[in-house]
Amino acid sequence: EAGVVQSPRYKIIEKKQPVAFWCNPISGHNTLYWYRQNLGQGPELLIRYENEEAVDDSQLPKDRFSAERLKGVDSTLKIQPAELGDSAVYLCASSGVTDTQYFGPGTRLTVL
Amino acid sequence: AQSVTQPDIHITVSEGASLELRCNYSYGATPYLFWYVQSPGQGLQLLLKYFSGDTLVQGIKGFEAEFKRSQSSFNLRKPSVHWSDAAEYFCAVSPGGYNKLIFGAGTRLAVHP
């Protein structure tokens, strides 16, 4: 089966610009996660969706970050405006009935 | 608060040598425990997981891990390392279930021929 798909794989933007990341989870997986991985660190959860509902967004910086999963499948994570400190790898993961999380390859964001 | 510590930032081993990567966690009860591997430019791949029962867990690619409650540890082992094992390894804990993973900072493994 196809894994978690993310695009783009790489993105370079100037600070104060907006940016969006897209994730397509594994088919049938109701739970979707966005993580941020800073250089030299492990991933940190930003937001978790159960179908369309964001059930844990406590770590999402809501002043500039937003996310949506309108039909309970694909999801988009947006940053507006981006800051230098947002440079990181943004990982999407999904899980199904077994709750094991499967990760996509990530989007590497560089903010100049 | 729950936390995961991986004491070794970098480890270098020779191909064919044995490997042990250390992981300690902080949590009041027995959490669910995971090891993931991340190769350059790749996402995280699950190696193995522990929920309950037998404290020695077998995973993919010849890896195993042992849960030691008394030491709050979940160390990853492999008897003979291959060059393709060079990657970054992350230990993670899920307090009370799967839905939130808390990761350690990772251990980068280099393998010498």
Side-chain angles (χ1 to χ4, degrees):
Chain A
E1 69 182 7
V4 176
V5 179
Q6 291 188 246
S7 69
R9 292 294 309 276
Y10 304 90
K11 189 73 177 179
I12 301 174
I13 61 171
E14 304 220 335
K15 63 181 180 181
K16 301 185 181 179
Q17 294 301 306
V19 64
F21 315 123
W22 176 80
C23 173
N24 179 243
I26 292 173
S27 178
H29 282 191
N30 294 329
T31 310
L32 184 145
Y33 314 76
W34 283 103
Y35 289 84
R36 177 169 59 188
Q37 185 177 16
N38 293 315
L39 188 64
Q41 300 294 319
E44 294 178 320
L45 181 69
L46 291 174
I47 189 168
R48 172 169 67 92
Y49 281 94
E50 295 287 347
N51 298 303
E52 303 89 358
E53 183 181 0
V55 296
D56 183 357
D57 63 355
S58 57
Q59 301 302 311
L60 190 72
K62 298 180 183 62
D63 56 336
R64 297 182 300 107
F65 285 65
S66 64
E68 60 183 15
R69 194 185 184 200
L70 294 175
K71 296 184 178 179
V73 180
D74 296 359
S75 177
T76 302
L77 178 68
K78 299 178 181 178
I79 308 174
Q80 182 170 10
E83 297 180 351
L84 295 177
D86 296 330
S87 295
V89 175
Y90 291 83
L91 294 163
C92 180
S94 69
S95 64
V97 293
T98 67
D99 288 334
T100 297
Q101 294 186 30
Y102 296 89
F103 285 80
T107 297
R108 182 176 296 277
L109 174 66
T110 301
V111 182
L112 303 176
Chain B
Q2 303 90 11
S3 65
V4 177
T5 302
Q6 294 181 247
D8 304 305
I9 298 174
H10 297 280
I11 284 184
T12 300
V13 300
S14 298
E15 190 168 17
S18 64
L19 172 70
E20 182 169 29
L21 301 182
R22 296 182 292 165
C23 173
N24 294 95
Y25 65 90
S26 172
Y27 182 61
T30 300
Y32 297 151
L33 296 159
F34 305 81
W35 275 99
Y36 282 85
V37 61
Q38 187 176 38
S39 299
Q42 303 297 314
L44 292 125
Q45 181 182 20
L46 180 68
L47 288 175
L48 47 79
K49 56 191 176 186
Y50 171 79
F51 307 139
S52 64
D54 192 346
T55 57
L56 186 62
V57 181
Q58 301 298 319
I60 62 171
K61 304 185 178 186
F63 286 93
E64 66 178 25
E66 185 172 12
F67 169 60
K68 293 186 177 180
R69 184 191 307 274
S70 61
Q71 299 177 19
S72 297
S73 69
F74 189 56
N75 294 348
L76 182 71
R77 301 195 294 249
K78 186 170 185 177
S80 178
V81 171
H82 188 262
W83 63 267
S84 61
D85 292 325
E88 187 141 25
Y89 291 80
F90 291 93
C91 181
V93 60
S94 179
Y98 299 92
N99 286 336
K100 180 172 183 174
L101 287 176
I102 297 169
F103 287 87
T107 297
R108 183 169 297 278
L109 174 66
V111 180
H112 280 181

